[in-house]
């Protein structure tokens, strides 16, 4: 496309963006004071291994196998009688000013579920499968290796990124209880960047540009008054050492939790990758004084009836993991589920996993008072 046409289109899309606010101003890292509840969450995450490992699931209360949009429901709860201690949601398409996210869940519903999970004493994490601002494609559009560079301060999509971050900031700032308490959230932007399937992935940008994108995101959200976030650094399983893990680490001053995403494609590979990553991340968390989690994992369709107690739990027990989170039980994609539902072959094993004193579900963490300091 002709450059002038491209610039005009880019400016147009910025003007049309429906979240508004913000200005094209260079930002400076400035530590925003976080809410006391957010600070308490960080302390709780660091102390959590002393209690056990929290179990989490993505989109747990909004849909599952054979249902969508019901209230007070989750496949995990249908199987073991308790909600996951951690619930994950995704902000993909908030940047477009849409009512629903990329998996067609409304942002109003997500907000309501986040506040409900906080009021119950549970933990919330948010990822962002953001569209490609340069091409108009989705997160997985890796056709343009200049996207990240174009978002930085002198880039042609910089203002567009700021407008998109306005949408994120507005949402985060809107997470408030009836009493006006802002709900703390573990935000996990720019995840799985050690692979190259997202437009912010390893082959798509330089180390300096990836780090600059993180800092820009952090600074801008702080500038917009977002003081209820902890930030999670969450690569895939590609790093083979602490140095490789930290290659694109954006900095101790802006990261609170270190983790990784690891899925079963082959059982032996999974055992090896989990063990390697758990060792690496334990070392980083210890040396950098960070909380630690398995930010995404799972075995699609769980075709192993004892996977929970014979594979997942034994892998985790020797490491200071605050939570382990499995991905969604999709209603809109065949055979794309990671937690059991009533009648699934791993149901009984999941109940045994639930009953193990090392695993923490919602009822377990309610007695910990996660959002209160000096427990
Ligand atoms: C991916 C898949 C997609 C989904 C996305 C965001 O890993 O589950 O189907 O759209 O996460 O939830």
């Amino acid at each position: 496309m002709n450059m002038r046409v491209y610039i005009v289109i880019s400016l147009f899309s910025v003007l049309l963006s429906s979240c508004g606010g913000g200005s094209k101003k260079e930002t400076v890292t400035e530590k925003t004071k976080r809410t006391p509840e957010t600070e308490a969450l960080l302390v709780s995450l660091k102390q959590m291994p002393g209690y056990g490992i929290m179990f989490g699931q993505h989109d747990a209360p909004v849909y599952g196998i054979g249902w969508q949009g019901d209230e007070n429901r989750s496949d995990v709860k249908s199987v073991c009688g308790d909600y996951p201690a951690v619930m994950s949601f995704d902000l993909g398409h908030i940047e477009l000013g849409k009512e629903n996210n990329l998996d067609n869940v409304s942002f109003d519903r997500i907000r309501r579920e986040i506040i409900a999970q906080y009021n119950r004493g549970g933990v919330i994490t948010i990822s962002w499968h953001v569209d490609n601002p340069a091409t108009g494609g989705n997160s997985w559009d890796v056709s343009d290796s200049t996207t990240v560079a174009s978002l930085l301060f002198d880039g042609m999509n910089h203002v567009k990124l700021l407008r998109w971050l306005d949408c994120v900031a507005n949402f985060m700032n809107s997470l408030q209880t009836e009493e006006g308490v802002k709900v703390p959230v573990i935000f996990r932007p720019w995840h799985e960047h050690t692979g190259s399937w997202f437009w912010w992935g390893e082959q798509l940008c330089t180390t300096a540009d990836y780090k600059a994108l993180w800092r820009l995101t952090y600074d801008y959200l702080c500038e917009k008054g977002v003081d209820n976030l902890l930030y999670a650094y969450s690569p895939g399983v590609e790093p083979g050492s602490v140095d490789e893990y930290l290659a694109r680490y954006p900095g101790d001053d802006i990261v609170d939790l270190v983790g990784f995403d690891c899925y079963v494609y082959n059982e032996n590979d999974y055992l090896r990758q989990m063990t390697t990553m758990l060792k690496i991340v334990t070392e980083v968390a210890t040396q950098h004084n960070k909380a630690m989690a398995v930010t995404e994992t799972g075995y699609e369709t769980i075709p192993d009836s004892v996977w929970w107690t014979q594979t997942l739990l034994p892998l985790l027990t020797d490491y200071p993991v605050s939570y382990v989170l499995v991905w969604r039980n999709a209603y809109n994609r065949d055979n794309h589920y990671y937690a059991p539902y009533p009648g699934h072959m791993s149901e009984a094993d999941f109940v045994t996993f639930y009953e193990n004193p090392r695993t923490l579900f919602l009822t377990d963490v309610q007695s910990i008072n996660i959002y209160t300091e000096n427990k």
Side-chain angles (χ1 to χ4, degrees):
M1 189 188 300
N2 165 309
M3 191 56 87
R4 200 177 309 146
V5 173
Y6 188 82
I7 291 170
V8 169
I9 291 175
S10 294
L11 282 175
F12 241 106
S13 51
V14 165
L15 290 172
L16 287 173
S17 160
S18 55
C19 293
S23 56
K24 190 190 179 201
K25 182 168 134 224
E26 298 216 356
T27 53
V28 185
T29 301
E30 195 180 283
K31 201 88 187 157
T32 302
K33 206 171 166 343
R34 292 191 288 218
T35 66
E37 293 79 11
T38 312
E39 292 297 345
L41 171 61
L42 180 56
V43 172
S44 298
L45 291 170
K46 288 181 183 174
Q47 292 176 349
M48 198 56 69
Y51 298 96
I53 301 165
M54 293 188 286
F55 180 81
Q57 190 187 17
H58 186 66
D59 276 350
V62 287
Y63 55 77
I65 301 305
W67 63 277
Q68 184 195 0
D70 301 15
E71 299 287 333
N72 306 312
R73 189 169 175 181
S74 135
D75 283 348
V76 164
K77 188 174 161 218
S78 301
V79 165
C80 70
D82 205 353
Y83 279 119
V86 181
M87 290 184 184
S88 159
F89 299 95
D90 197 276
L91 292 188
H93 290 183
I94 202 157
E95 69 280 3
L96 308 177
K98 295 246 172 95
E99 263 176 49
N100 294 347
N101 83 350
L102 78 166
D103 295 317
N104 217 22
V105 184
S106 85
F107 290 110
D108 282 345
R109 177 74 193 265
I110 294 174
R111 181 185 301 105
R112 193 153 59 74
E113 293 297 343
I114 287 174
I115 295 167
Q117 175 72 351
Y118 172 77
N119 283 334
R120 288 190 287 252
V123 172
I124 302 100
T125 177
I126 290 183
S127 53
W128 188 21
H129 284 84
V130 52
D131 271 9
N132 185 320
T135 64
N138 61 24
S139 287
W140 294 267
D141 179 359
V142 291
S143 61
D144 182 349
S145 61
T146 66
T147 301
V148 172
S150 82
L151 301 177
L152 304 178
F153 296 101
D154 45 4
M156 83 163 58
N157 291 308
H158 180 62
V159 178
K160 188 172 187 177
L161 176 70
L162 298 190
R163 293 297 78 76
W164 285 14
L165 288 172
D166 284 330
C167 302
V168 172
N170 289 345
F171 184 82
M172 299 300 190
N173 283 330
S174 78
L175 299 173
Q176 294 194 26
T177 66
E178 276 181 14
E179 297 75 36
V181 176
K182 283 172 88 173
V183 176
V185 164
I186 303 163
F187 186 39
R188 198 167 62 90
W190 318 125
H191 67 303
E192 296 177 11
H193 64 284
T194 47
S196 296
W197 45 87
F198 294 133
W199 56 256
W200 55 87
E202 161 139 66
Q203 301 294 313
L204 288 306
C205 59
T206 65
T207 296
D209 285 354
Y210 178 78
K211 289 186 183 181
L213 176 64
W214 248 93
R215 195 158 289 274
L216 168 57
T217 304
Y218 176 87
D219 284 344
Y220 193 75
L221 293 180
C222 287
E223 194 184 299
K224 292 290 142 187
V226 181
D227 53 5
N228 51 333
L229 300 187
L230 298 177
Y231 288 80
Y233 178 71
S234 179
V237 295
E238 293 74 20
S241 65
V242 166
D243 283 353
E244 284 174 24
Y245 182 87
L246 292 174
R248 295 190 172 201
Y249 184 66
D252 273 340
D253 57 333
I254 62 175
V255 171
D256 302 293
L257 180 143
V258 287
F260 61 94
D261 293 1
C262 178
Y263 285 90
V264 187
Y265 296 105
N266 164 300
E267 298 213 24
N268 285 332
D269 289 349
Y270 183 71
L271 295 178
R272 192 175 36 77
Q273 290 168 336
M274 284 290 282
T275 307
T276 304
M277 293 307 298
L278 284 162
K279 283 186 181 146
I280 291 173
V281 179
T282 298
E283 199 175 322
V284 172
T286 310
Q287 285 177 358
H288 295 249
N289 187 24
K290 302 297 170 192
M292 159 175 176
V294 180
T295 42
E296 283 185 36
T297 195
Y299 196 172
E300 198 175 47
T301 77
I302 325 134
D304 172 351
S305 64
V306 290
W307 189 73
W308 304 99
T309 62
Q310 303 306 303
T311 299
L312 185 61
L313 193 54
L315 274 171
L316 302 174
T317 35
D318 292 338
Y319 305 94
V321 175
S322 63
Y323 72 85
V324 60
L325 185 132
V326 298
W327 207 240
R328 64 202 195 103
N329 277 12
Y331 68 93
N332 56 350
R333 205 170 135 178
D334 284 346
N335 297 320
H336 188 57
Y337 60 88
Y338 295 87
Y341 52 86
H344 183 268
M345 71 184 236
S346 76
E347 185 180 9
D349 189 60
F350 190 83
V351 173
T352 312
F353 173 83
Y354 165 73
E355 285 167 350
N356 188 299
R358 289 291 303 152
T359 61
L360 304 175
F361 285 68
L362 181 73
T363 311
D364 302 309
V365 300
Q366 282 174 329
S367 58
I368 297 176
N369 294 323
I370 285 180
Y371 300 101
T372 314
E373 288 200 71
N374 306 317
K375 282 179 271 297

